[in-house]
Amino acid sequence: MKLKKNEQTQIKKIQKLLKPYPIPVLKIYPHSFCSRDDLTYGLIRLSQGKRLVVQGETGKVRKDPFKGKNRHHGKTTLKVCDLSPENTACLMDLFPYTRPVSLREYPITAGTGDRLGCATPGHLWAVRRFPVRPVLAQQSVRENKQTGRCFSGVVSDAAWAVFQENYQEGYGADGDHLKTFAEIEEALNAGVSMVTLDLSEKLNFSAFTDSTEAIDRHFKNEIHEEEAKVFFHLFLNKEFRFKGPPGEFSIRFDEESVKRNALLFYKAIDFTEEVYEFLQSHLVSRRIVDFEISIDETPFSTSPANHLFFIIELGQRGIRIDALAPRFIGEFQKGIDYKGDLAEFRRQFYQHAMIAMDHGNYKISIHSGSDKFSVFPIMGELAGKGLHLKTAGTSWLEAMRLIAKRFPSLYREMHQYALSIFHEATRLYHVTTDLWKIPRIEGIKDRDLPKYLDQDDSRQLVHLTYGYLLNAKGPDGKHLFRDRFFQTLTDYEEEYWALLDKHIGKHLASLGLKKMKIFK
Ligand SMILES: [Zn+2]
């Protein structure tokens, strides 16, 4: 990567500062260097990994709270510190912008989900160019299992990346797809500023499919009489009208649809209320936690009427949310463009957005948002006042693009392995990947390998097998790919970040967000 002139001057200054001390510095992260109370702080890379350095007069360095090893020169000291949990806590105290915060007040936010723990600088390069705020840490329990990480590690990686890039605008950290109190507590203890509650296990999907008679019976048996009265009072034969520049529409509930929606949601609503109270009682005094509800991982799409029913009932109980992730019509498969009827998508998306605007002005959250380029302009146009876009897998794919470019033989090995375990890996997902459409890798020239990351089927092949690829071990118990994979990402990290800058930037530009001038 070519450095800008002012960066070169900055690096020279830092080199001069570090020169008297006997440490073999491989790399300096110039944007991280700053002064606080006569001490200089900054990030460097040694052969063992990234380190924080603290430099200044010996007496002052001694008083500084970071834990590390001291090297002396005359009356000065250079302290070299690990990025340990203890030091992360110090970082957040001394540089409060490295602590995740609520992004409630920002209309457009982007969840960039850094699965690998080394993508965030690239995400920051991209979001800096647009009027958005990033949710940099964003992992689900499932993702953490696949990558062998935990919530606190995820938040701490984001915090150090924020420090590295000197990003002081504020960022969020999302405990994504949390399903139980234990998971929520773990994420909150790790410092997340956002909880995404996944209600998929609390929804009763037979409410979509049961016969009218069965619905009547279940409603009578399962819904308490008092509660049933409230449902009918709120919804039966009421007409909810919405009006915006793109048009008017109304939603009406007859008796059957009240019953179906009640059966679909009643457990989910009770659970949401418990979680909401938990969040209020535990945290409001200490910090604001953004609250998103996800109902996207369901076998049926969320109709605007479902959405309206659910949100009115939440409002009735005094529950305020910051975002809702419906399951949209059509297909939002991982890492590839939208499949479905664009006109119908537009119609329904508009209705979802209007409902959200009229019932609490929360954001519509787009999950599996990676690479949905054909629907981004619609989303940007119609939900301009409240949108949260989540991507994650696409940054893993860009990492694999880098591997294909820089370490072709490793890419070949990983690709072949992915083919061999694909069917096992995709049990959890709905995908239409056709492995037969992926050209055999044997005849492909090295320079053409990155093209695999442009074709839908091979994108999905590599996308859905990420956990398997990272965890694969040989007969000797050693990782097959992991070490070489991460080493390559480290060796070419600037190139990786540049790929992400371009690719995430393309997502944000497709939403219709205008680029901003950056002043560093
Ligand atoms: Zn989701």
Side-chain angles (χ1 to χ4, degrees), residues 176-177 294 296-297 367-368:
D176 200 6
H177 280 285
S294 79
D296 66 308
E297 293 197 356
H367 287 211
S368 301

Tab-separated table of all heavy atoms in Angstrom, residues 176-177 294 296-297 367-368, ligand 1:
chain	number	residue	atom	x	y	z
A	176	ASP	N	-25.688	-10.447	18.782
A	176	ASP	CA	-26.649	-10.722	17.709
A	176	ASP	C	-27.367	-12.062	17.933
A	176	ASP	O	-26.754	-13.017	18.415
A	176	ASP	CB	-25.875	-10.747	16.380
A	176	ASP	CG	-26.784	-10.533	15.185
A	176	ASP	OD1	-27.983	-10.250	15.385
A	176	ASP	OD2	-26.283	-10.640	14.044
A	177	HIS	N	-28.620	-12.110	17.587
A	177	HIS	CA	-29.418	-13.344	17.660
A	177	HIS	C	-29.324	-14.033	19.016
A	177	HIS	O	-29.102	-15.239	19.099
A	177	HIS	CB	-28.997	-14.317	16.550
A	177	HIS	CG	-29.617	-13.964	15.231
A	177	HIS	ND1	-30.940	-14.207	14.961
A	177	HIS	CD2	-29.112	-13.352	14.139
A	177	HIS	CE1	-31.214	-13.761	13.746
A	177	HIS	NE2	-30.127	-13.229	13.228
A	294	SER	N	-35.379	-9.624	16.388
A	294	SER	CA	-35.267	-10.269	15.078
A	294	SER	C	-36.257	-11.413	14.952
A	294	SER	O	-36.360	-12.279	15.823
A	294	SER	CB	-33.833	-10.746	14.819
A	294	SER	OG	-33.565	-11.933	15.486
A	296	ASP	N	-36.375	-12.722	11.750
A	296	ASP	CA	-36.016	-12.998	10.346
A	296	ASP	C	-35.709	-14.472	10.083
A	296	ASP	O	-35.821	-14.924	8.953
A	296	ASP	CB	-34.809	-12.149	9.931
A	296	ASP	CG	-33.547	-12.530	10.695
A	296	ASP	OD1	-33.607	-12.572	11.942
A	296	ASP	OD2	-32.524	-12.805	10.057
A	297	GLU	N	-35.329	-15.215	11.120
A	297	GLU	CA	-34.980	-16.614	10.860
A	297	GLU	C	-36.201	-17.502	11.091
A	297	GLU	O	-36.293	-18.246	12.061
A	297	GLU	CB	-33.785	-17.022	11.715
A	297	GLU	CG	-32.554	-16.256	11.270
A	297	GLU	CD	-31.227	-16.834	11.739
A	297	GLU	OE1	-31.227	-17.813	12.500
A	297	GLU	OE2	-30.203	-16.285	11.330
A	367	HIS	N	-31.167	-8.181	7.964
A	367	HIS	CA	-30.199	-9.248	8.259
A	367	HIS	C	-29.809	-9.949	6.955
A	367	HIS	O	-30.512	-9.829	5.962
A	367	HIS	CB	-30.803	-10.270	9.216
A	367	HIS	CG	-30.921	-9.759	10.618
A	367	HIS	ND1	-30.819	-10.573	11.720
A	367	HIS	CD2	-31.126	-8.511	11.098
A	367	HIS	CE1	-30.954	-9.848	12.819
A	367	HIS	NE2	-31.161	-8.604	12.469
A	368	SER	N	-28.718	-10.699	7.015
A	368	SER	CA	-28.175	-11.306	5.793
A	368	SER	C	-28.091	-10.243	4.703
A	368	SER	O	-28.426	-10.479	3.559
A	368	SER	CB	-29.027	-12.474	5.311
A	368	SER	OG	-29.109	-13.452	6.315
B	1	ZN	ZN	-30.638	-12.564	11.327
